């Protein structure tokens, strides 16, 4: 019987996928995951946890501005602080407070996170929108370890969705990811995570920024929240990421690609899913709901 990783590659993933503790991961990350739980941390480290395409760049920039106390963009791309991509030595060079981002599950994180009580912000997005955004990215992005000049995923939308909803993708199942992070306080003795919804950020970003700032114990003047929200609007952040920020940690894209910033919308999944695909996705999601404590509606 094929593993989830093998199913993913057969469907069109153009990178080597492996199973690590029951989760599909890119082989490039496997060696770092072996030592992840013993990684040293600092008490003032801040973590942004997301499933891929849940607003990671957006939220990471916001957190940097909250900590800086002003609406100025961080010099580097967020990939400079991707926990599972960078080496321990690279991350050690970052100045405190370090703002990491990660797509890992709670059980894959450094043990010191729970012992030190570091701050964690978790951003969740509609799972169907994540699926569409993920497909659009990986079908245009060129993975460093993949075949030259080929996109990270070479299959069709139908191919992608069929394996994505079963967790045959890097970082595993989006359903499991949301479930495990939602239940962190039950597993890690009341550990407090600041949970944020992508859709709430779209509706009233300044309010969500204030909520994150209060969680981080970094209260700002009211006008700062609006200034940060404006600086991190889709249009402004896309411009900054392409024209202002240092490109050292940028990744390669196929010519004509929209890059990381495609639409930044909520509800675009309705333009992609057929009725049958939507119903099957809902069925699998609802099954996970019954198996876990997820209480939030999918749509």
């Amino acid at each position: 019987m094929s593993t989830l990783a093998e199913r993913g590659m057969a469907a069109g993933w153009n990178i080597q996928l492996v199973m690590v503790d029951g989760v599909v991961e890119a082989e490039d990350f496997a060696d770092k995951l072996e030592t992840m739980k013993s990684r040293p941390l600092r008490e003032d480290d801040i973590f942004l946890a997301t499933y891929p395409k849940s607003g990671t760049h957006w939220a990471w920039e916001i957190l940097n501005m909250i900590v800086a106390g002003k609406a100025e963009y961080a010099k580097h791309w967020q990939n400079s602080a991707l926990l599972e991509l960078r080496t321990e030595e690279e991350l050690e060079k970052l100045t405190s407070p370090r703002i990491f981002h990660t797509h890992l599950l709670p059980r894959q994180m450094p043990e010191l996170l729970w012992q030190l009580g570091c701050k964690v912000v978790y951003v969740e997005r509609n799972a169907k929108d994540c699926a569409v955004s993920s497909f659009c990215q990986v079908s245009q992005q060129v993975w460093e370890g993949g075949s030259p000049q080929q996109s990270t995923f070479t299959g069709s939308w139908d191919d992608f969705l069929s394996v994505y909803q079963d967790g045959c993708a890097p970082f595993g199942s989006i359903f499991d990811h949301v479930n495990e992070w939602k239940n962190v306080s039950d597993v890690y003795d009341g550990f407090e995570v600041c949970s944020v919804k992508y859709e709430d950020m779209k509706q009233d970003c300044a309010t969500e920024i204030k909520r994150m700032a209060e969680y981080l114990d970094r209260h700002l003047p009211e006008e700062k929240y609006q200034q940060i929200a404006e600086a991190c609007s889709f249009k402004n952040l896309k411009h900054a990421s392409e024209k202002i920020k240092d490109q050292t940690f940028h990744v390669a894209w196929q010519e004509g690609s929209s890059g990381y910033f495609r639409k930044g919308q909520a509800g675009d999944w309705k333009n992609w899913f057929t009725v049958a695909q939507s119903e099957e996705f809902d069925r699998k999601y609802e099954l996970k709901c019954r198996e876990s404590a997820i209480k939030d509606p999918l749509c």
Side-chain angles (χ1 to χ4, degrees), residues 5 10 35 43 46 51 77 85 109 135 144 146 150 154 192 238 248 265 288 290-291:
T35 60
E43 192 169 358
I46 298 169
Y51 192 80
W77 274 73
L85 179 62
M109 296 291 285
F135 173 72
E144 195 172 295
Q150 285 195 341
T154 58
E192 182 183 0
K238 179 178 175 66
T248 302
Q265 298 177 351
K288 287 288 185 179
R290 290 195 295 270
E291 295 173 350

Side-chain angles (χ1 to χ4, degrees), residues 96-109:
S96 293
R98 300 179 297 184
I99 304 174
F100 299 128
H101 86 91
T102 182
H103 298 314
L104 298 180
L105 295 163
R107 56 188 165 89
Q108 297 174 304
M109 296 291 285

Side-chain angles (χ1 to χ4, degrees), residues 39 44 121 155:
R39 282 276 184 100
D44 61 353
V121 174

